[in-house]
Amino acid sequence: MAAGSAIQIPSRLPLLLTHESVLLPGSTMRTSVDSPRNMQLVRSRLLKGTSLRSTIIGVIPNTSDPTSDCDDLPNLHRIGTAALAVQVVGSNWPKPHYTLLVTGLCRFQILQLLKEKPYPVAEVQQLDRLEQFTNGHKSEEELGELSEQFYKYAVQLVEMLDMSVPAVAKLRRLLDNLPREALPDILTSIIRTTNQEKLQILDAVRLEERFKMTIPLLVRQIEGLKLLQKTRKSKQDDDKRAAGIRPSRRITHGSITEDEEEEEDHDDVVMLEKKIRTSSMSEQALKVCLKEIKRLKKMPQSMPEYALTRNYLELMVELPWNKSTKDRLEIRAARIVLDNDHYAMEKLKKRVLEYLAVRQLKNNLKGPILCFVGPPGVGKTSVGRSIAKTLGREFHRIALGGVCDQSDIRGHRRTYVGSMPGRIINGLKTVGVNNPVFLLDEVDKLAKSLQGDPAAALLEVLDPEQNHSFTDHYLNVAFDLSQVLFIATANTTATIPPALLDRMEVIQVPGYTQEEKIEIAHRHLIPKQLEQHGLTPQQIQIPQVTTLGIITRYTREAGVRALDRKLGAICRAVAVKVAEGQHKEAKPDRAEVGEGEDCKEHVTEDGKAESINDTADLALPPEMPILIDFHALKDILGPPMYDMEVSERLSQPGVAIGLAWTPLGGEIMFVEASRMDGEGQLTLTGQLGDVMKESAHLAISWLRSNAKRYQLTNASGSFDLLDNTDIHLHFPAGAVTKDGPSAGVTIVTCLASLFSGRLVCSDVAMTGEITLRGLVLPVGGIKDKVLAAHRAGLKRIIIPQRNEKDLEEIAVHVRQDLTFVLAGCLEEVLNAAFDGGFAVKARHEHLNSKL
Ligand code: ADP
């Protein structure tokens, strides 16, 4: 046993009063000093003193210094630790204070307090580490057994720790080199103990007593550690470091003086290295990581690059290099999931099932990327989620709307301040597996900018030939994306860059008919909303006729998102009523609805929401469920937003209804024309694109050349329609830019109405491109347009003859409600658009001229 570590402390010691922690001989602690007496002690003793003796102070535990130096001293703890002040650091923020670093030397007891101000000084008696003790006054044999037992436990404890951590290795060596009687104090200060326990150890002046008291603490720590390791092992994580036992203080018996924080950090780096080595990253990535960790070890942690490199390495460890979920694909189950989650969408579901079936037969399909194209709220995203569910894969949505920087996809290089990985790698980190379903939402809204073209970056991601070695700029090593299932969604294919479109198989998801919407609402949206609002069908009842009312009067959309929102608003309102324990009393003047069944009949018979008024005078609804009828609807949602305005607007000549396709679905569009005296100018308003303007010119030219034939005249009776006449064409409805050739027939009809003074039939809508010779050419988006016309309650639709094949895609019940006129030339269009046809008055004249 090493002897000769005897210390002699002065017989008078200035006292530092502490209460937050207990300093034991042989250990070091940092303590903050801000009370008047303690500050005074630091100032006059430690900062002014010159000799080594002047830096020895008595640290009294468990005694707080009064906040004012006028106050009396409290009772001092009987035993203190003589300590060497190793470091004093002063600071003025947030208030003046010193931070002391003190190292415990030995125990002492206070014999007499000599003075209290400006700081307490006492006559003391040293209690241990005196000459006679260290010279073996107390026979070793007496303590032999106890100290041997203690030593064994201490060794057992230290060996349970990770010996590759330098601090632990050092501790192990210390156990052998230090005198045994110093061990209880030192170990108590480094294992997890309370201040109270430390105080007891400090008070245990007799060595035997100290050994006896410390052994149970050691055993407790060992048991705790064992338990921790057991749970860790089950998680395959052998991180022993955080077991709460590690040298948290500097131990001064001459040998340990390293900075504690640095060691701690070093531990982390070692752990990180271990994680890197045990992770399943690719060889190339491992090489890069090991190189980086080598650099990290040499780097002072104050360097900004230190944090950067650490973040990088932590991301590399977290990435799912080899972690994947197991596909559980069963086509029959997939069909059920898709059917359960979504009503209608037959074509889409069929194609998705085909896609999944091929995947089942041929694993690792390098097939096309599915791209769902359709208006908002038709369920594109939610089908993507269902696909992930059927495959048992993780789902992650990457919103691409407005992304204009390619580093959003591919990450920033690490040299860049604030650099980070792109969305793909980030997504992988989030889901934690390498085979999720990624939904690339809104690929049509990618934008280009000076920061490069994100679409080009996406190309690399989506190309099965390239994506097995996708290199994110931040990672700078290849990551295999070939297991990821990509699905894209878009509102229109028009703005998807052609190269990207080429990689994808477009599946059109058209809007819903009113009937489909009602079904979707009752099967999916209402139950979902009820659940979200904590309501039950016993509390609220929304009859189908009300749903139809919401669809026709409060929403005008191809999808069901606004409908969902409105239902949410209703549920909120009802939730308040239910919570209040009452619901709206029936108004005496209002018509009440009887039962849901009744209402349904009304819908199917009349198809009109107004029919509900006929059911007046039925019995008042019972207290619960709260029945949502039209009055309730009006109360909750306000007055209807859309009225059946069609017939009103077609009450004068010069108005016709066209059908337009927008990325939000089909729409009906009123085209208005007026004429006035002028010089033959054509004015077009309503945010039109170039193609549309051309259509207007074409229409006028055709009408001018056929004016005689149809007896069309201007205000002064001339067949030259533009003679002394200006024409103004307007396309109302919103600030949306409209373009495309399909308004041609509508413009012709509208102008024909203007010049003939006849009204266009109020239930006819039309679409079709025209030529100068009066032919009607096919156009796109027929299905969406027909649905829009159906939504608006129109009955007859004029479409180009060559679009006849598109009608097959339209649901039978919609087709049954409508009459289609297939027009090959403008004459047929005009005949269908006007009641009683648009007679060619001068046919014989025309023939005459030929003769
Ligand atoms: P999109 O991605 O096409 O804009 P979402 O997938 O976000 O639309 O759908 C909006 C909401 O409408 C979702 O809550 C979805 O569940 C619901 N929804 C849309 N179509 C259907 C359907 N056919 N059956 C059931 N719910 C649907």
Side-chain angles (χ1 to χ4, degrees):
M1 203 180 287
S5 51
I7 297 171
Q8 197 175 1
I9 58 167
S11 57
R12 286 171 170 216
L13 279 184
L15 302 180
L16 183 81
L17 310 183
T18 62
H19 64 281
E20 277 170 356
S21 45
V22 181
L23 177 70
L24 289 170
S27 66
T28 298
M29 90 174 176
R30 213 178 278 275
T31 178
S32 182
V33 162
D34 57 6
S35 56
R37 283 193 182 83
N38 282 348
M39 294 270 279
Q40 199 55 44
L41 181 148
V42 174
R43 263 186 233 122
S44 33
R45 239 341 242 249
L46 302 180
L47 297 180
K48 292 215 178 107
T50 45
S51 66
L52 180 65
R53 284 180 82 83
S54 68
T55 61
I56 297 181
I57 55 174
V59 178
I60 303 294
N62 202 20
T63 313
S64 53
D65 190 19
T67 44
S68 153
D69 57 357
C70 307
D71 293 349
D72 285 343
L73 272 187
N75 278 344
L76 303 180
H77 192 78
R78 197 173 48 88
I79 292 181
T81 313
L84 201 64
V86 185
Q87 190 188 50
V88 182
V89 182
S91 165
N92 261 339
W93 198 88
K95 57 179 185 176
H97 72 277
Y98 293 105
T99 306
L100 295 188
L101 189 67
V102 285
T103 298
L105 299 173
C106 62
R107 287 173 176 73
F108 68 83
Q109 70 173 355
I110 299 173
L111 294 179
Q112 192 190 353
L113 195 62
L114 298 176
K115 61 171 186 172
E116 291 192 13
K117 284 183 190 172
Y119 53 86
V121 176
E123 195 178 334
V124 299
Q125 183 193 7
Q126 186 172 350
L127 293 177
D128 58 1
R129 301 199 59 194
L130 293 164
E131 204 85 33
Q132 65 263 39
F133 289 163
T134 48
N135 282 348
H137 200 77
K138 192 103 179 167
S139 76
E140 261 185 37
E141 290 84 59
E142 272 179 51
L143 279 175
E145 212 173 301
L146 259 183
S147 95
E148 197 54 37
Q149 201 183 358
F150 181 89
Y151 173 76
K152 266 190 202 150
Y153 280 126
V155 170
Q156 185 188 352
L157 177 63
V158 173
E159 285 185 347
M160 283 173 86
L161 303 182
D162 184 358
M163 293 301 268
S164 64
V165 178
V168 177
K170 216 167 261 178
L171 183 62
R172 176 70 190 85
R173 266 179 272 131
L174 268 184
L175 287 184
D176 289 336
N177 296 339
L178 284 178
R180 294 260 166 107
E181 67 257 27
L183 289 182
D185 284 339
I186 292 175
L187 278 157
T188 308
S189 67
I190 61 178
I191 62 176
R192 193 168 275 172
T193 44
T194 62
N195 275 349
Q196 204 50 44
E197 284 163 344
K198 280 191 194 134
L199 207 58
Q200 283 172 4
I201 302 294
L202 182 71
D203 290 348
V205 179
R206 280 177 49 232
L207 200 51
E208 188 186 351
E209 196 184 338
R210 218 181 296 159
F211 270 127
K212 278 185 182 159
M213 287 172 91
T214 329
I215 287 175
L217 298 180
L218 273 187
V219 173
R220 184 182 72 190
Q221 187 72 53
I222 291 171
E223 291 305 318
L225 201 56
K226 271 186 192 160
L227 204 67
L228 201 67
Q229 283 180 349
K230 216 192 262 170
T231 44
R232 291 250 167 113
K233 209 172 274 164
S234 64
K235 284 189 212 155
Q236 295 291 307
D237 181 4
D238 56 351
D239 177 4
K240 294 174 190 163
R241 177 185 57 94
I245 159 156
R246 72 165 115 150
S248 61
R249 301 253 158 78
R250 259 184 284 168
I251 300 166
T252 45
H253 259 279
S255 43
I256 302 186
T257 44
E258 278 185 31
D259 191 1
E260 163 200 320
E261 277 173 21
E262 223 167 66
E263 252 172 30
E264 209 172 272
D265 226 79
H266 192 72
D267 291 359
D268 284 352
V269 174
V270 171
M271 285 308 302
L272 196 58
E273 181 172 359
K274 208 165 165 190
K275 278 190 199 160
I276 289 170
R277 286 188 190 280
T278 51
S279 84
S280 50
M281 61 176 77
S282 68
E283 225 168 87
Q284 185 199 8
L286 184 67
K287 225 155 120 193
V288 172
C289 283
L290 292 178
K291 207 166 114 201
E292 290 292 325
I293 202 123
K294 226 174 182 176
R295 280 184 55 222
L296 193 69
K297 279 180 183 164
K298 288 186 198 142
M299 224 183 267
Q301 51 168 304
S302 51
M303 240 168 110
E305 214 190 325
Y306 183 88
L308 267 181
T309 313
R310 263 195 80 139
N311 287 349
Y312 171 74
L313 289 172
E314 269 160 16
L315 173 74
M316 290 293 267
V317 172
E318 268 180 60
L319 278 182
W321 296 93
N322 232 340
K323 219 166 126 202
S324 53
T325 48
K326 200 166 157 15
D327 274 5
R328 49 171 167 80
L329 180 56
E330 224 249 282
I331 286 299
R332 229 172 301 151
R335 191 190 300 267
I336 293 171
V337 170
L338 278 178
D339 278 342
N340 281 351
D341 287 358
H342 300 95
Y343 179 78
M345 331 178 92
E346 295 312 328
K347 197 171 141 198
L348 174 70
K349 283 193 230 167
K350 188 167 154 252
R351 181 63 192 97
V352 166
L353 282 176
E354 283 167 12
Y355 184 80
L356 294 178
V358 179
R359 280 195 78 89
Q360 188 182 4
L361 296 181
K362 183 169 176 261
N363 224 353
N364 202 7
L365 174 78
K366 283 190 179 173
I369 311 292
L370 293 183
C371 177
F372 303 148
V373 177
V378 291
K380 301 181 296 292
T381 314
S382 96
V383 168
R385 198 166 275 131
S386 289
I387 292 179
K389 198 158 103 186
T390 57
L391 288 171
R393 289 189 176 203
E394 293 291 329
F395 177 81
H396 185 72
R397 174 173 166 269
I398 299 178
L400 294 175
V403 166
C404 62
D405 184 348
Q406 65 145 331
S407 12
D408 259 331
I409 309 289
R410 218 181 249 154
H412 296 278
R413 291 198 188 284
R414 255 192 313 140
T415 45
Y416 178 85
V417 182
S419 59
M420 54 184 175
R423 293 182 186 215
I424 305 284
I425 292 296
N426 240 335
L428 285 166
K429 184 183 137 199
T430 312
V431 296
V433 287
N434 67 4
N435 64 343
V437 172
F438 270 170
L439 186 91
L440 304 171
D441 218 0
E442 313 204 320
V443 274
D444 56 332
K445 311 250 173 10
L446 284 173
K448 255 187 205 173
S449 74
L450 289 178
Q451 279 78 36
D453 183 0
L458 257 194
L459 275 184
E460 189 191 334
V461 173
L462 298 182
D463 188 348
E465 300 301 326
Q466 292 182 41
N467 72 5
H468 55 82
S469 59
F470 169 71
T471 306
D472 184 282
H473 285 160
Y474 182 81
L475 290 197
N476 214 10
V477 289
F479 193 97
D480 184 2
L481 296 181
S482 60
Q483 298 305 314
V484 181
L485 178 67
F486 289 102
I487 297 174
T489 76
N491 291 143
T492 166
T493 50
T495 48
I496 303 180
L500 198 56
L501 194 58
D502 193 43
R503 299 267 190 293
M504 305 195 282
E505 178 181 333
V506 172
I507 303 179
Q508 295 285 352
V509 193
Y512 297 116
T513 61
Q514 281 173 4
E515 287 71 21
E516 283 171 343
K517 283 187 192 177
I518 293 178
E519 285 299 325
I520 293 173
H522 284 266
R523 287 171 194 233
H524 299 280
L525 307 182
I526 294 177
K528 202 169 69 188
Q529 289 291 355
L530 292 191
E531 195 194 321
Q532 275 174 13
H533 290 85
L535 294 170
T536 62
Q538 283 76 45
Q539 289 164 328
I540 171 173
Q541 193 183 336
I542 306 180
Q544 295 209 345
V545 69
T546 307
T547 319
L548 180 67
I550 304 172
I551 293 168
T552 51
R553 294 167 160 219
Y554 290 90
T555 67
R556 186 160 280 179
E557 53 167 0
V560 291
R561 200 167 279 146
L563 173 62
D564 197 25
R565 265 201 303 274
K566 301 284 175 204
L567 290 170
I570 292 173
C571 289
R572 277 197 301 279
V574 171
V576 174
K577 296 273 176 218
V578 171
E580 279 174 357
Q582 53 151 50
H583 80 271
K584 203 173 61 140
E585 289 297 322
K587 287 182 189 162
D589 60 337
R590 110 186 182 196
E592 291 295 347
V593 186
E595 289 169 351
E597 273 312 299
D598 263 19
C599 313
K600 198 171 162 190
E601 271 173 33
H602 274 278
V603 186
T604 41
E605 274 168 29
D606 307 333
K608 283 258 165 31
E610 282 85 348
S611 60
I612 194 64
N613 289 334
D614 304 340
T615 57
D617 300 326
L618 290 184
L620 289 178
E623 279 288 304
M624 287 283 166
I626 296 177
L627 187 81
I628 306 298
D629 58 10
F630 280 102
H631 297 275
L633 214 53
K634 214 165 161 189
D635 274 356
I636 298 169
L637 301 179
M641 287 183 218
Y642 305 100
D643 269 325
M644 292 294 160
E645 51 183 353
V646 176
S647 47
E648 282 162 35
R649 293 187 67 164
L650 289 182
S651 58
Q652 48 177 298
V655 188
I657 305 170
L659 292 173
W661 181 90
T662 73
L664 309 184
E667 265 179 22
I668 64 164
M669 175 174 68
F670 291 90
V671 180
E672 295 174 347
S674 71
R675 61 181 171 182
M676 57 221 91
D677 289 348
E679 286 148 18
Q681 301 235 331
L682 172 66
T683 313
L684 296 166
T685 49
Q687 294 229 29
L688 310 182
D690 285 342
V691 182
M692 199 110 158
K693 286 180 189 157
E694 282 171 11
S695 296
H697 284 287
L698 268 179
I700 289 189
S701 297
W702 185 81
L703 281 170
R704 284 174 76 186
S705 62
N706 288 283
K708 265 195 192 143
R709 191 172 162 213
Y710 292 106
Q711 291 293 307
L712 300 176
T713 56
N714 64 7
S716 53
S718 158
F719 286 128
D720 185 358
L721 299 180
L722 287 183
D723 187 27
N724 292 327
T725 309
D726 277 356
I727 298 177
H728 188 154
L729 268 175
H730 181 57
F731 298 76
V736 190
T737 307
K738 307 162 197 79
D739 201 8
S742 65
V745 291
T746 323
I747 302 173
V748 169
T749 312
C750 167
L751 290 173
S753 156
L754 180 72
F755 287 112
S756 66
R758 294 180 60 191
L759 291 180
V760 180
C761 296
S762 61
D763 60 350
V764 177
M766 60 201 80
T767 182
E769 181 179 351
I770 54 170
T771 70
L772 206 48
R773 283 167 46 235
L775 297 180
V776 177
L777 300 184
V779 291
I782 290 291
K783 182 167 182 189
D784 283 315
K785 289 174 177 175
V786 170
L787 288 179
H790 188 244
R791 272 201 295 277
L794 296 168
K795 292 278 171 266
R796 232 164 355 132
I797 300 179
I798 306 173
I799 61 167
Q801 198 157 31
R802 278 158 62 190
N803 277 117
E804 187 178 2
K805 58 181 185 328
D806 296 312
L807 295 181
E808 282 168 24
E809 284 185 27
I810 297 165
V812 179
H813 63 92
V814 176
R815 261 190 282 166
Q816 280 168 353
D817 285 351
L818 300 167
T819 316
F820 292 96
V821 179
L822 301 168
C825 62
L826 280 172
E827 195 177 327
E828 287 166 15
V829 173
L830 293 178
N831 274 332
F834 292 90
D835 259 341
F838 204 71
V840 180
K841 301 251 172 72
R843 183 169 285 260
H844 55 279
E845 268 177 43
H846 185 67
L847 293 175
N848 282 347
S849 68
K850 261 190 158 186
L851 288 171

